[in-house]
Amino acid sequence: MSRICQITGKHVITGNAVSHSNRKTRRTFAPNLQERKYFIPEENRTVSLHVSVAGMRTISKIGITEALKRAKAKGYFNA
């Protein structure tokens, strides 16, 4: 599973881990991804998505069909 949200496109980014002595080493920041199943009433089917929590809020606000339409337009979701 790649660590990319299928709704918002959030992915792993890199940065520095800074210690108390101010030494810097590279680290990764992973998005908060969850695997969720959503029912699409227009198509009468369920779809399984790897979604960040921000993506879940987006789905709650605009609905699953509109969220999938926007994600397909941006290239985050293809199915």
Side-chain angles (χ1 to χ4, degrees), residues 32-51:
N32 186 6
L33 290 184
Q34 311 291 324
E35 186 168 355
R36 292 283 186 255
K37 291 182 181 177
Y38 290 97
F39 180 71
I40 305 170
E42 289 82 8
E43 300 176 9
N44 198 22
R45 70 180 180 108
T46 60
V47 63
S48 180
L49 297 172
H50 296 290
V51 182

Side-chain angles (χ1 to χ4, degrees), residues 60-72:
S60 295
K61 287 181 178 183
I62 65 173
I64 184 66
T65 54
E66 180 65 25
L68 287 176
K69 186 168 59 169
R70 291 182 188 180
K72 285 178 186 176

